[in-house]
Amino acid sequence: RERHLEGLMALAGEPPRACHGCGVSYEVLEELSADGNVRMVVCLKDGVYQVLCPACSASYIPKRVDLVKGTAFGWRVHGK
């Protein structure tokens, strides 16, 4: 439930504490980004909204064709 609420808050503009996939803190991700702007992805994972860093989302999203099928993003990622 906590991850789901944090995902909803991220959609409202509040940064998460950490990536829900790898657990790396938002502060560390901010330090690692070239411009200090952390691009996180909020996605439906395991039935709840979760916030993933670019590396975790890059490995998770391609596995979930069912989530993006028929969208412009789905065409770019999967050609479907």
Side-chain angles (χ1 to χ4, degrees), residues 49-75:
Y49 285 113
Q50 295 193 26
V51 185
L52 302 176
C53 71
C56 289
S57 67
S59 66
Y60 177 71
I61 297 295
K63 297 175 191 173
R64 296 301 310 266
V65 176
D66 58 312
L67 293 177
V68 297
K69 186 176 181 182
T71 67
F73 179 77
W75 279 103

Side-chain angles (χ1 to χ4, degrees), residues 10-64:
L11 289 171
E14 184 176 314
R17 289 178 288 178
C19 171
H20 293 163
C22 63
V24 175
S25 74
Y26 187 84
E27 289 79 19
V28 170
L29 291 169
E30 193 171 38
E31 289 173 11
L32 294 173
S33 82
D35 60 0
N37 188 9
V38 181
R39 289 159 184 85
M40 304 290 280
V41 175
V42 178
C43 64
L44 192 62
K45 182 179 179 195
D46 301 329
V48 298
Y49 285 113
Q50 295 193 26
V51 185
L52 302 176
C53 71
C56 289
S57 67
S59 66
Y60 177 71
I61 297 295
K63 297 175 191 173
R64 296 301 310 266

